[in-house]
PDB file of all heavy atoms in Angstrom:
ATOM      1  N   GLY A 188       0.755  -1.215   0.019  1.00  0.00           N
ATOM      2  CA  GLY A 188       0.025  -0.028  -0.009  1.00  0.00           C
ATOM      3  C   GLY A 188       0.845   1.220  -0.031  1.00  0.00           C
ATOM      4  O   GLY A 188       2.009   1.240   0.387  1.00  0.00           O
ATOM      5  N   ARG A 189       0.202   2.349  -0.458  1.00  0.00           N
ATOM      6  CA  ARG A 189       0.923   3.614  -0.515  1.00  0.00           C
ATOM      7  C   ARG A 189       1.300   4.131   0.902  1.00  0.00           C
ATOM      8  O   ARG A 189       2.351   4.753   1.109  1.00  0.00           O
ATOM      9  CB  ARG A 189       0.085   4.699  -1.271  1.00  0.00           C
ATOM     10  CG  ARG A 189      -0.109   4.341  -2.716  1.00  0.00           C
ATOM     11  CD  ARG A 189      -0.889   5.490  -3.408  1.00  0.00           C
ATOM     12  NE  ARG A 189      -1.008   5.183  -4.861  1.00  0.00           N
ATOM     13  CZ  ARG A 189      -1.648   6.006  -5.698  1.00  0.00           C
ATOM     14  NH1 ARG A 189      -2.231   7.116  -5.255  1.00  0.00           N
ATOM     15  NH2 ARG A 189      -1.691   5.711  -6.967  1.00  0.00           N
ATOM     16  N   ILE A 190       0.351   3.962   1.851  1.00  0.00           N
ATOM     17  CA  ILE A 190       0.636   4.462   3.179  1.00  0.00           C
ATOM     18  C   ILE A 190       1.816   3.796   3.809  1.00  0.00           C
ATOM     19  O   ILE A 190       2.723   4.423   4.368  1.00  0.00           O
ATOM     20  CB  ILE A 190      -0.619   4.228   4.083  1.00  0.00           C
ATOM     21  CG1 ILE A 190      -1.769   5.070   3.510  1.00  0.00           C
ATOM     22  CG2 ILE A 190      -0.317   4.604   5.554  1.00  0.00           C
ATOM     23  CD1 ILE A 190      -3.123   4.884   4.321  1.00  0.00           C
ATOM     24  N   THR A 191       1.890   2.433   3.683  1.00  0.00           N
ATOM     25  CA  THR A 191       3.063   1.757   4.224  1.00  0.00           C
ATOM     26  C   THR A 191       4.345   2.107   3.515  1.00  0.00           C
ATOM     27  O   THR A 191       5.396   2.355   4.172  1.00  0.00           O
ATOM     28  CB  THR A 191       2.828   0.232   4.045  1.00  0.00           C
ATOM     29  OG1 THR A 191       1.593  -0.165   4.616  1.00  0.00           O
ATOM     30  CG2 THR A 191       3.936  -0.600   4.729  1.00  0.00           C
ATOM     31  N   THR A 192       4.294   2.261   2.201  1.00  0.00           N
ATOM     32  CA  THR A 192       5.490   2.692   1.461  1.00  0.00           C
ATOM     33  C   THR A 192       5.908   4.147   1.886  1.00  0.00           C
ATOM     34  O   THR A 192       7.099   4.394   2.064  1.00  0.00           O
ATOM     35  CB  THR A 192       5.202   2.686  -0.034  1.00  0.00           C
ATOM     36  OG1 THR A 192       4.830   1.355  -0.431  1.00  0.00           O
ATOM     37  CG2 THR A 192       6.448   3.137  -0.779  1.00  0.00           C
ATOM     38  N   GLY A 193       4.935   4.986   2.093  1.00  0.00           N
ATOM     39  CA  GLY A 193       5.241   6.362   2.548  1.00  0.00           C
ATOM     40  C   GLY A 193       5.851   6.369   3.912  1.00  0.00           C
ATOM     41  O   GLY A 193       6.783   7.163   4.190  1.00  0.00           O
ATOM     42  N   VAL A 194       5.312   5.539   4.871  1.00  0.00           N
ATOM     43  CA  VAL A 194       5.901   5.465   6.201  1.00  0.00           C
ATOM     44  C   VAL A 194       7.327   4.995   6.122  1.00  0.00           C
ATOM     45  O   VAL A 194       8.252   5.505   6.818  1.00  0.00           O
ATOM     46  CB  VAL A 194       5.053   4.525   7.038  1.00  0.00           C
ATOM     47  CG1 VAL A 194       5.790   4.241   8.410  1.00  0.00           C
ATOM     48  CG2 VAL A 194       3.679   5.107   7.345  1.00  0.00           C
ATOM     49  N   PHE A 195       7.619   3.987   5.269  1.00  0.00           N
ATOM     50  CA  PHE A 195       8.947   3.453   5.167  1.00  0.00           C
ATOM     51  C   PHE A 195       9.900   4.530   4.618  1.00  0.00           C
ATOM     52  O   PHE A 195      11.080   4.682   5.089  1.00  0.00           O
ATOM     53  CB  PHE A 195       8.967   2.208   4.288  1.00  0.00           C
ATOM     54  CG  PHE A 195      10.290   1.541   4.210  1.00  0.00           C
ATOM     55  CD1 PHE A 195      11.035   1.213   5.320  1.00  0.00           C
ATOM     56  CD2 PHE A 195      10.883   1.262   2.926  1.00  0.00           C
ATOM     57  CE1 PHE A 195      12.275   0.608   5.219  1.00  0.00           C
ATOM     58  CE2 PHE A 195      12.137   0.651   2.801  1.00  0.00           C
ATOM     59  CZ  PHE A 195      12.813   0.303   4.019  1.00  0.00           C
ATOM     60  N   ARG A 196       9.467   5.318   3.604  1.00  0.00           N
ATOM     61  CA  ARG A 196      10.319   6.423   3.087  1.00  0.00           C
ATOM     62  C   ARG A 196      10.558   7.450   4.126  1.00  0.00           C
ATOM     63  O   ARG A 196      11.631   8.091   4.142  1.00  0.00           O
ATOM     64  CB  ARG A 196       9.623   6.995   1.830  1.00  0.00           C
ATOM     65  CG  ARG A 196       9.584   6.044   0.638  1.00  0.00           C
ATOM     66  CD  ARG A 196       8.832   6.649  -0.503  1.00  0.00           C
ATOM     67  NE  ARG A 196       8.918   5.712  -1.695  1.00  0.00           N
ATOM     68  CZ  ARG A 196       8.271   6.008  -2.843  1.00  0.00           C
ATOM     69  NH1 ARG A 196       7.550   7.134  -2.966  1.00  0.00           N
ATOM     70  NH2 ARG A 196       8.362   5.111  -3.826  1.00  0.00           N
ATOM     71  N   LEU A 197       9.542   7.699   4.941  1.00  0.00           N
ATOM     72  CA  LEU A 197       9.660   8.667   6.030  1.00  0.00           C
ATOM     73  C   LEU A 197      10.812   8.177   7.077  1.00  0.00           C
ATOM     74  O   LEU A 197      11.590   8.984   7.531  1.00  0.00           O
ATOM     75  CB  LEU A 197       8.384   8.891   6.787  1.00  0.00           C
ATOM     76  CG  LEU A 197       8.365   9.950   7.890  1.00  0.00           C
ATOM     77  CD1 LEU A 197       8.679  11.306   7.360  1.00  0.00           C
ATOM     78  CD2 LEU A 197       7.011   9.939   8.577  1.00  0.00           C
ATOM     79  N   PHE A 198      10.779   6.898   7.283  1.00  0.00           N
ATOM     80  CA  PHE A 198      11.815   6.326   8.148  1.00  0.00           C
ATOM     81  C   PHE A 198      13.204   6.487   7.545  1.00  0.00           C
ATOM     82  O   PHE A 198      14.195   6.750   8.221  1.00  0.00           O
ATOM     83  CB  PHE A 198      11.474   4.879   8.483  1.00  0.00           C
ATOM     84  CG  PHE A 198      10.747   4.760   9.718  1.00  0.00           C
ATOM     85  CD1 PHE A 198       9.353   5.036   9.782  1.00  0.00           C
ATOM     86  CD2 PHE A 198      11.279   4.254  10.921  1.00  0.00           C
ATOM     87  CE1 PHE A 198       8.637   4.855  10.988  1.00  0.00           C
ATOM     88  CE2 PHE A 198      10.622   4.115  12.064  1.00  0.00           C
ATOM     89  CZ  PHE A 198       9.246   4.431  12.114  1.00  0.00           C
ATOM     90  N   LEU A 199      13.254   6.223   6.266  1.00  0.00           N
ATOM     91  CA  LEU A 199      14.576   6.351   5.539  1.00  0.00           C
ATOM     92  C   LEU A 199      15.051   7.790   5.556  1.00  0.00           C
ATOM     93  O   LEU A 199      16.230   8.061   5.647  1.00  0.00           O
ATOM     94  CB  LEU A 199      14.460   5.861   4.134  1.00  0.00           C
ATOM     95  CG  LEU A 199      14.166   4.350   3.970  1.00  0.00           C
ATOM     96  CD1 LEU A 199      14.102   4.023   2.474  1.00  0.00           C
ATOM     97  CD2 LEU A 199      15.256   3.490   4.584  1.00  0.00           C
ATOM     98  N   LEU A 200      14.122   8.745   5.494  1.00  0.00           N
ATOM     99  CA  LEU A 200      14.453  10.156   5.611  1.00  0.00           C
ATOM    100  C   LEU A 200      15.128  10.502   6.971  1.00  0.00           C
ATOM    101  O   LEU A 200      16.004  11.371   7.031  1.00  0.00           O
ATOM    102  CB  LEU A 200      13.199  11.045   5.406  1.00  0.00           C
ATOM    103  CG  LEU A 200      13.439  12.583   5.423  1.00  0.00           C
ATOM    104  CD1 LEU A 200      14.378  13.031   4.337  1.00  0.00           C
ATOM    105  CD2 LEU A 200      12.087  13.283   5.305  1.00  0.00           C
ATOM    106  N   GLY A 201      14.694   9.757   7.955  1.00  0.00           N
ATOM    107  CA  GLY A 201      15.278   9.939   9.295  1.00  0.00           C
ATOM    108  C   GLY A 201      16.722   9.592   9.426  1.00  0.00           C
ATOM    109  O   GLY A 201      17.433  10.091  10.271  1.00  0.00           O
ATOM    110  N   LEU A 202      17.203   8.761   8.453  1.00  0.00           N
ATOM    111  CA  LEU A 202      18.611   8.422   8.438  1.00  0.00           C
ATOM    112  C   LEU A 202      19.522   9.587   8.098  1.00  0.00           C
ATOM    113  O   LEU A 202      20.661   9.622   8.452  1.00  0.00           O
ATOM    114  CB  LEU A 202      18.826   7.306   7.498  1.00  0.00           C
ATOM    115  CG  LEU A 202      18.201   5.930   7.808  1.00  0.00           C
ATOM    116  CD1 LEU A 202      18.450   4.975   6.642  1.00  0.00           C
ATOM    117  CD2 LEU A 202      18.764   5.351   9.109  1.00  0.00           C
ATOM    118  N   ALA A 203      18.921  10.540   7.380  1.00  0.00           N
ATOM    119  CA  ALA A 203      19.736  11.682   6.869  1.00  0.00           C
ATOM    120  C   ALA A 203      19.694  12.859   7.840  1.00  0.00           C
ATOM    121  O   ALA A 203      20.346  13.882   7.514  1.00  0.00           O
ATOM    122  CB  ALA A 203      19.232  12.089   5.487  1.00  0.00           C
ATOM    123  N   ILE A 204      18.986  12.763   8.907  1.00  0.00           N
ATOM    124  CA  ILE A 204      18.872  13.924   9.823  1.00  0.00           C
ATOM    125  C   ILE A 204      19.655  13.560  11.073  1.00  0.00           C
ATOM    126  O   ILE A 204      19.310  12.732  11.903  1.00  0.00           O
ATOM    127  CB  ILE A 204      17.375  14.154  10.201  1.00  0.00           C
ATOM    128  CG1 ILE A 204      16.551  14.398   8.982  1.00  0.00           C
ATOM    129  CG2 ILE A 204      17.221  15.330  11.149  1.00  0.00           C
ATOM    130  CD1 ILE A 204      15.070  14.598   9.207  1.00  0.00           C
ATOM    131  N   PRO A 205      20.752  14.306  11.315  1.00  0.00           N
ATOM    132  CA  PRO A 205      21.521  14.053  12.563  1.00  0.00           C
ATOM    133  C   PRO A 205      20.866  14.679  13.762  1.00  0.00           C
ATOM    134  O   PRO A 205      20.088  15.607  13.618  1.00  0.00           O
ATOM    135  CB  PRO A 205      22.910  14.701  12.289  1.00  0.00           C
ATOM    136  CG  PRO A 205      22.546  15.814  11.233  1.00  0.00           C
ATOM    137  CD  PRO A 205      21.425  15.271  10.406  1.00  0.00           C
ATOM    138  N   ALA A 206      21.128  14.118  14.921  1.00  0.00           N
ATOM    139  CA  ALA A 206      20.524  14.632  16.139  1.00  0.00           C
ATOM    140  C   ALA A 206      20.912  16.039  16.432  1.00  0.00           C
ATOM    141  O   ALA A 206      20.153  16.844  17.008  1.00  0.00           O
ATOM    142  CB  ALA A 206      20.866  13.733  17.298  1.00  0.00           C
ATOM    143  N   GLN A 207      22.202  16.380  16.017  1.00  0.00           N
ATOM    144  CA  GLN A 207      22.638  17.820  16.329  1.00  0.00           C
ATOM    145  C   GLN A 207      21.871  18.872  15.596  1.00  0.00           C
ATOM    146  O   GLN A 207      21.744  19.974  16.038  1.00  0.00           O
ATOM    147  CB  GLN A 207      24.126  17.868  15.915  1.00  0.00           C
ATOM    148  CG  GLN A 207      25.108  17.048  16.720  1.00  0.00           C
ATOM    149  CD  GLN A 207      25.184  15.610  16.241  1.00  0.00           C
ATOM    150  OE1 GLN A 207      24.395  15.214  15.356  1.00  0.00           O
ATOM    151  NE2 GLN A 207      26.111  14.881  16.815  1.00  0.00           N
ATOM    152  N   ALA A 208      21.194  18.430  14.450  1.00  0.00           N
ATOM    153  CA  ALA A 208      20.488  19.386  13.629  1.00  0.00           C
ATOM    154  C   ALA A 208      19.137  19.740  14.279  1.00  0.00           C
ATOM    155  O   ALA A 208      18.512  20.765  13.944  1.00  0.00           O
ATOM    156  CB  ALA A 208      20.295  18.881  12.230  1.00  0.00           C
ATOM    157  N   VAL A 209      18.620  18.806  15.131  1.00  0.00           N
ATOM    158  CA  VAL A 209      17.284  19.042  15.675  1.00  0.00           C
ATOM    159  C   VAL A 209      17.274  19.138  17.190  1.00  0.00           C
ATOM    160  O   VAL A 209      16.219  19.123  17.829  1.00  0.00           O
ATOM    161  CB  VAL A 209      16.318  17.876  15.269  1.00  0.00           C
ATOM    162  CG1 VAL A 209      16.143  17.888  13.743  1.00  0.00           C
ATOM    163  CG2 VAL A 209      16.850  16.546  15.785  1.00  0.00           C
ATOM    164  N   ILE A 210      18.499  19.354  17.778  1.00  0.00           N
ATOM    165  CA  ILE A 210      18.592  19.354  19.239  1.00  0.00           C
ATOM    166  C   ILE A 210      17.820  20.576  19.842  1.00  0.00           C
ATOM    167  O   ILE A 210      17.242  20.514  20.900  1.00  0.00           O
ATOM    168  CB  ILE A 210      20.039  19.332  19.737  1.00  0.00           C
ATOM    169  CG1 ILE A 210      20.096  19.105  21.203  1.00  0.00           C
ATOM    170  CG2 ILE A 210      20.748  20.556  19.299  1.00  0.00           C
ATOM    171  CD1 ILE A 210      19.476  17.822  21.657  1.00  0.00           C
ATOM    172  N   VAL A 211      17.880  21.719  19.127  1.00  0.00           N
ATOM    173  CA  VAL A 211      17.196  22.931  19.641  1.00  0.00           C
ATOM    174  C   VAL A 211      15.670  22.755  19.672  1.00  0.00           C
ATOM    175  O   VAL A 211      15.036  22.989  20.728  1.00  0.00           O
ATOM    176  CB  VAL A 211      17.609  24.163  18.844  1.00  0.00           C
ATOM    177  CG1 VAL A 211      16.779  25.384  19.322  1.00  0.00           C
ATOM    178  CG2 VAL A 211      19.061  24.485  19.054  1.00  0.00           C
ATOM    179  N   PRO A 212      15.079  22.397  18.523  1.00  0.00           N
ATOM    180  CA  PRO A 212      13.547  22.118  18.592  1.00  0.00           C
ATOM    181  C   PRO A 212      13.272  20.996  19.511  1.00  0.00           C
ATOM    182  O   PRO A 212      12.153  20.957  20.170  1.00  0.00           O
ATOM    183  CB  PRO A 212      13.216  21.840  17.143  1.00  0.00           C
ATOM    184  CG  PRO A 212      14.450  21.537  16.440  1.00  0.00           C
ATOM    185  CD  PRO A 212      15.538  22.292  17.125  1.00  0.00           C
ATOM    186  N   MET A 213      14.185  19.982  19.581  1.00  0.00           N
ATOM    187  CA  MET A 213      13.903  18.815  20.558  1.00  0.00           C
ATOM    188  C   MET A 213      13.858  19.353  21.971  1.00  0.00           C
ATOM    189  O   MET A 213      13.053  18.946  22.788  1.00  0.00           O
ATOM    190  CB  MET A 213      14.959  17.790  20.368  1.00  0.00           C
ATOM    191  CG  MET A 213      14.776  16.523  21.205  1.00  0.00           C
ATOM    192  SD  MET A 213      13.377  15.571  20.673  1.00  0.00           S
ATOM    193  CE  MET A 213      13.999  15.033  19.081  1.00  0.00           C
ATOM    194  N   PHE A 214      14.768  20.252  22.308  1.00  0.00           N
ATOM    195  CA  PHE A 214      14.769  20.833  23.679  1.00  0.00           C
ATOM    196  C   PHE A 214      13.450  21.612  23.926  1.00  0.00           C
ATOM    197  O   PHE A 214      12.927  21.483  25.010  1.00  0.00           O
ATOM    198  CB  PHE A 214      15.987  21.779  23.793  1.00  0.00           C
ATOM    199  CG  PHE A 214      15.992  22.551  25.080  1.00  0.00           C
ATOM    200  CD1 PHE A 214      16.448  21.960  26.285  1.00  0.00           C
ATOM    201  CD2 PHE A 214      15.560  23.867  25.069  1.00  0.00           C
ATOM    202  CE1 PHE A 214      16.415  22.652  27.437  1.00  0.00           C
ATOM    203  CE2 PHE A 214      15.556  24.560  26.267  1.00  0.00           C
ATOM    204  CZ  PHE A 214      15.963  24.034  27.378  1.00  0.00           C
ATOM    205  N   TYR A 215      13.003  22.267  22.933  1.00  0.00           N
ATOM    206  CA  TYR A 215      11.759  23.111  23.056  1.00  0.00           C
ATOM    207  C   TYR A 215      10.572  22.140  23.330  1.00  0.00           C
ATOM    208  O   TYR A 215       9.711  22.366  24.168  1.00  0.00           O
ATOM    209  CB  TYR A 215      11.525  23.935  21.808  1.00  0.00           C
ATOM    210  CG  TYR A 215      10.224  24.729  21.866  1.00  0.00           C
ATOM    211  CD1 TYR A 215      10.179  25.965  22.553  1.00  0.00           C
ATOM    212  CD2 TYR A 215       9.137  24.324  21.164  1.00  0.00           C
ATOM    213  CE1 TYR A 215       9.075  26.676  22.643  1.00  0.00           C
ATOM    214  CE2 TYR A 215       7.941  25.047  21.219  1.00  0.00           C
ATOM    215  CZ  TYR A 215       7.898  26.307  21.964  1.00  0.00           C
ATOM    216  OH  TYR A 215       6.758  26.974  22.033  1.00  0.00           O
ATOM    217  N   VAL A 216      10.482  21.101  22.502  1.00  0.00           N
ATOM    218  CA  VAL A 216       9.350  20.154  22.602  1.00  0.00           C
ATOM    219  C   VAL A 216       9.360  19.406  23.940  1.00  0.00           C
ATOM    220  O   VAL A 216       8.341  19.314  24.636  1.00  0.00           O
ATOM    221  CB  VAL A 216       9.423  19.154  21.408  1.00  0.00           C
ATOM    222  CG1 VAL A 216       8.368  18.007  21.632  1.00  0.00           C
ATOM    223  CG2 VAL A 216       9.124  19.876  20.106  1.00  0.00           C
ATOM    224  N   ILE A 217      10.542  18.941  24.346  1.00  0.00           N
ATOM    225  CA  ILE A 217      10.669  18.270  25.624  1.00  0.00           C
ATOM    226  C   ILE A 217      10.326  19.131  26.783  1.00  0.00           C
ATOM    227  O   ILE A 217       9.633  18.732  27.750  1.00  0.00           O
ATOM    228  CB  ILE A 217      12.100  17.637  25.739  1.00  0.00           C
ATOM    229  CG1 ILE A 217      12.335  16.571  24.766  1.00  0.00           C
ATOM    230  CG2 ILE A 217      12.292  17.105  27.179  1.00  0.00           C
ATOM    231  CD1 ILE A 217      11.514  15.340  24.928  1.00  0.00           C
ATOM    232  N   SER A 218      10.763  20.389  26.688  1.00  0.00           N
ATOM    233  CA  SER A 218      10.483  21.373  27.775  1.00  0.00           C
ATOM    234  C   SER A 218       8.959  21.666  27.886  1.00  0.00           C
ATOM    235  O   SER A 218       8.373  21.670  28.935  1.00  0.00           O
ATOM    236  CB  SER A 218      11.238  22.663  27.592  1.00  0.00           C
ATOM    237  OG  SER A 218      12.652  22.395  27.581  1.00  0.00           O
ATOM    238  N   LYS A 219       8.325  21.875  26.705  1.00  0.00           N
ATOM    239  CA  LYS A 219       6.895  22.165  26.630  1.00  0.00           C
ATOM    240  C   LYS A 219       6.077  20.922  27.162  1.00  0.00           C
ATOM    241  O   LYS A 219       4.939  21.089  27.698  1.00  0.00           O
ATOM    242  CB  LYS A 219       6.419  22.576  25.272  1.00  0.00           C
ATOM    243  CG  LYS A 219       6.898  23.924  24.879  1.00  0.00           C
ATOM    244  CD  LYS A 219       6.335  25.021  25.826  1.00  0.00           C
ATOM    245  CE  LYS A 219       6.761  26.397  25.347  1.00  0.00           C
ATOM    246  NZ  LYS A 219       6.179  27.449  26.285  1.00  0.00           N
ATOM    247  N   ALA A 220       6.574  19.744  26.911  1.00  0.00           N
ATOM    248  CA  ALA A 220       5.878  18.496  27.358  1.00  0.00           C
ATOM    249  C   ALA A 220       6.055  18.176  28.861  1.00  0.00           C
ATOM    250  O   ALA A 220       5.511  17.271  29.333  1.00  0.00           O
ATOM    251  CB  ALA A 220       6.370  17.345  26.524  1.00  0.00           C
ATOM    252  N   GLY A 221       6.901  19.037  29.487  1.00  0.00           N
ATOM    253  CA  GLY A 221       7.192  18.788  30.906  1.00  0.00           C
ATOM    254  C   GLY A 221       8.059  17.635  31.242  1.00  0.00           C
ATOM    255  O   GLY A 221       8.034  17.136  32.328  1.00  0.00           O
ATOM    256  N   LEU A 222       8.913  17.232  30.252  1.00  0.00           N
ATOM    257  CA  LEU A 222       9.761  16.110  30.379  1.00  0.00           C
ATOM    258  C   LEU A 222      11.272  16.502  30.550  1.00  0.00           C
ATOM    259  O   LEU A 222      12.130  15.626  30.547  1.00  0.00           O
ATOM    260  CB  LEU A 222       9.621  15.151  29.167  1.00  0.00           C
ATOM    261  CG  LEU A 222       8.257  14.570  28.984  1.00  0.00           C
ATOM    262  CD1 LEU A 222       8.219  13.731  27.712  1.00  0.00           C
ATOM    263  CD2 LEU A 222       7.866  13.719  30.175  1.00  0.00           C
ATOM    264  N   TYR A 223      11.501  17.801  30.708  1.00  0.00           N
ATOM    265  CA  TYR A 223      12.891  18.276  30.858  1.00  0.00           C
ATOM    266  C   TYR A 223      13.461  17.747  32.233  1.00  0.00           C
ATOM    267  O   TYR A 223      12.710  17.756  33.213  1.00  0.00           O
ATOM    268  CB  TYR A 223      12.978  19.728  30.828  1.00  0.00           C
ATOM    269  CG  TYR A 223      14.458  20.281  30.982  1.00  0.00           C
ATOM    270  CD1 TYR A 223      15.368  20.165  29.977  1.00  0.00           C
ATOM    271  CD2 TYR A 223      14.785  20.902  32.168  1.00  0.00           C
ATOM    272  CE1 TYR A 223      16.661  20.618  30.223  1.00  0.00           C
ATOM    273  CE2 TYR A 223      16.108  21.354  32.374  1.00  0.00           C
ATOM    274  CZ  TYR A 223      17.022  21.190  31.413  1.00  0.00           C
ATOM    275  OH  TYR A 223      18.283  21.622  31.599  1.00  0.00           O
ATOM    276  N   ASP A 224      14.676  17.349  32.276  1.00  0.00           N
ATOM    277  CA  ASP A 224      15.338  16.805  33.454  1.00  0.00           C
ATOM    278  C   ASP A 224      14.629  15.583  33.990  1.00  0.00           C
ATOM    279  O   ASP A 224      14.442  15.390  35.174  1.00  0.00           O
ATOM    280  CB  ASP A 224      15.446  17.928  34.504  1.00  0.00           C
ATOM    281  CG  ASP A 224      16.526  17.583  35.554  1.00  0.00           C
ATOM    282  OD1 ASP A 224      17.427  16.775  35.207  1.00  0.00           O
ATOM    283  OD2 ASP A 224      16.439  18.100  36.670  1.00  0.00           O
ATOM    284  N   ASN A 225      14.174  14.782  32.994  1.00  0.00           N
ATOM    285  CA  ASN A 225      13.484  13.539  33.340  1.00  0.00           C
ATOM    286  C   ASN A 225      14.021  12.399  32.394  1.00  0.00           C
ATOM    287  O   ASN A 225      14.365  12.656  31.254  1.00  0.00           O
ATOM    288  CB  ASN A 225      11.976  13.732  33.136  1.00  0.00           C
ATOM    289  CG  ASN A 225      11.155  12.572  33.700  1.00  0.00           C
ATOM    290  OD1 ASN A 225      11.316  11.435  33.377  1.00  0.00           O
ATOM    291  ND2 ASN A 225      10.261  12.940  34.594  1.00  0.00           N
ATOM    292  N   LEU A 226      14.097  11.220  32.970  1.00  0.00           N
ATOM    293  CA  LEU A 226      14.665  10.087  32.149  1.00  0.00           C
ATOM    294  C   LEU A 226      13.749   9.813  30.909  1.00  0.00           C
ATOM    295  O   LEU A 226      14.280   9.411  29.882  1.00  0.00           O
ATOM    296  CB  LEU A 226      14.738   8.889  32.975  1.00  0.00           C
ATOM    297  CG  LEU A 226      15.841   8.849  34.072  1.00  0.00           C
ATOM    298  CD1 LEU A 226      15.892   7.537  34.830  1.00  0.00           C
ATOM    299  CD2 LEU A 226      17.180   9.210  33.582  1.00  0.00           C
ATOM    300  N   ILE A 227      12.459  10.089  31.038  1.00  0.00           N
ATOM    301  CA  ILE A 227      11.577   9.884  29.895  1.00  0.00           C
ATOM    302  C   ILE A 227      11.974  10.849  28.736  1.00  0.00           C
ATOM    303  O   ILE A 227      11.919  10.476  27.560  1.00  0.00           O
ATOM    304  CB  ILE A 227      10.124  10.063  30.302  1.00  0.00           C
ATOM    305  CG1 ILE A 227       9.725   9.086  31.361  1.00  0.00           C
ATOM    306  CG2 ILE A 227       9.180   9.926  29.064  1.00  0.00           C
ATOM    307  CD1 ILE A 227       8.297   9.244  31.866  1.00  0.00           C
ATOM    308  N   GLY A 228      12.420  11.971  29.093  1.00  0.00           N
ATOM    309  CA  GLY A 228      12.861  12.957  28.061  1.00  0.00           C
ATOM    310  C   GLY A 228      14.120  12.535  27.406  1.00  0.00           C
ATOM    311  O   GLY A 228      14.400  13.025  26.242  1.00  0.00           O
TER     312      GLY A 228
END
């Protein structure tokens, strides 16, 4: 199906994104979710 193929391509896109490139928005999301300074974060 197209949905499954699209999900797989989305996962492959994740291989090209280093963690350093998204650490700032990641910090913002984790802070807004109340998970900062928590092991779940």
Side-chain angles (χ1 to χ4, degrees):
R189 293 184 177 180
I190 296 179
T191 306
T192 304
V194 171
F195 185 50
R196 290 177 178 175
L197 183 63
F198 267 74
L199 294 181
L200 180 62
L202 296 174
I204 303 177
Q207 294 82 353
V209 296
I210 190 60
V211 174
M213 183 69 67
F214 173 80
Y215 179 80
V216 170
I217 292 296
S218 299
K219 288 298 182 180
L222 298 177
Y223 178 74
D224 201 21
N225 192 302
L226 292 182
I227 300 178

